[in-house]
Amino acid sequence: KSIVNQREIGSDTFTFSDTDLLESDLRRLPGALEGQDPGARARIQQKIAVRLHAAGRYREAIDAWREVVALERSLAEGRSGDARSEVAAALRGLGDALSANELHRDAETAYEEAISILEDLHGTREHAEIAAILHSLANVLEAQRRHDDAERAFTESIAIGERVHGSESHPDVEATVQDFASALARPDRADIEPLEGDEESVGIDELVNQLAR
């Protein structure tokens, strides 16, 4: 179905992208947005942004996410709770699109604001979504060769994830561990001793030991 079909506005975000259908929806987008309340506009734009990203059209995805962020900020003015969490979610989507387009510093700014909103909202950094965004933040910091900052973000993400999920074997924690292991094994980190064993089986204890050397 067309993503701008009224029946689709409230459905879950998905990443399937059909090129012809996407082009059709982009042409129809102005008409679909006309007369919609800001919440509906934000949901429609978010779906378009997700599909543009999935299609590898990152610059267009960035523009779409920026529109979503602006709409969610407007909706959140003078409110709290879910409205503010939607701003954080939009900033995370924007950060992902910026990162995919190698605009790492801008992605860093988006991720940091998303984390700040969620920390203020929940009163703690001990939250699964914060752990996930810290993982993304660590990757963009690593891409900027800011290795110390990246290591702090990786280790905090892993520590929070292990606590909130109750296990280091949770898929989100394992994904962060593997990205951290890959970062430590990069050639431009020649000053750090290589990790022992298969990179794919590196665990949290090995990473902590690596950093302690």
Side-chain angles (χ1 to χ4, degrees):
K1 296 178 182 178
S2 167
I3 204 164
V4 297
N5 188 299
Q6 292 299 304
R7 292 172 295 178
E8 292 295 302
I9 289 175
S11 63
D12 292 336
T13 299
F14 59 96
T15 56
F16 172 77
S17 178
D18 177 272
T19 302
D20 292 337
L21 188 57
L22 178 56
E23 290 296 341
S24 173
D25 284 345
L26 288 172
R27 289 193 296 271
R28 296 173 56 202
L29 185 58
L33 294 174
E34 186 176 356
Q36 296 292 333
D37 64 77
R41 289 172 62 89
R43 290 193 295 275
I44 294 170
Q45 286 279 19
Q46 181 188 47
K47 289 176 178 296
I48 292 293
V50 168
R51 291 179 63 205
L52 286 166
H53 190 131
R57 295 166 61 169
Y58 302 129
R59 289 190 177 277
E60 293 169 275
I62 289 168
D63 290 340
W65 275 118
R66 282 179 170 149
E67 180 65 22
V68 177
V69 169
L71 286 165
E72 294 294 0
R73 287 193 199 280
S74 177
L75 288 166
E77 285 183 4
R79 300 170 62 189
S80 59
D82 289 345
R84 294 175 62 203
S85 68
E86 291 299 326
V87 177
L91 285 164
R92 182 181 179 185
L94 174 60
D96 290 346
L98 289 163
S99 175
N101 205 42
E102 298 186 354
L103 297 172
H104 300 304
R105 190 169 293 278
D106 289 340
E108 176 189 350
T109 299
Y111 289 142
E112 287 182 338
E113 185 179 356
I115 291 169
S116 178
I117 290 171
L118 291 171
E119 183 177 6
D120 184 61
L121 184 61
H122 298 295
T124 178
R125 290 172 77 87
E126 298 287 306
H127 192 275
E129 190 170 0
I130 290 178
I133 300 173
L134 279 166
H135 178 187
S136 298
L137 175 62
N139 283 328
V140 299
L141 291 168
E142 182 66 24
Q144 297 175 67
R145 298 190 177 185
R146 291 165 54 188
H147 302 313
D148 290 345
D149 292 336
E151 287 175 6
R152 281 190 287 270
F154 274 126
T155 54
E156 185 179 11
S157 175
I158 292 167
I160 293 173
E162 185 178 17
R163 288 192 293 268
V164 299
H165 294 301
S167 171
E168 70 175 66
S169 62
H170 187 277
D172 290 351
V173 179
E174 288 187 336
T176 309
V177 168
Q178 298 309 323
D179 276 359
F180 193 6
S182 295
L184 290 172
R186 283 177 53 170
D188 60 349
R189 282 173 168 264
D191 57 317
I192 299 177
E193 293 180 29
L195 293 171
E196 296 179 2
D198 185 353
E199 181 181 302
E200 294 301 315
S201 63
V202 173
I204 293 173
D205 290 341
E206 287 87 345
L207 290 174
V208 172
N209 291 336
Q210 172 72 70
L211 292 174
R213 291 172 184 169

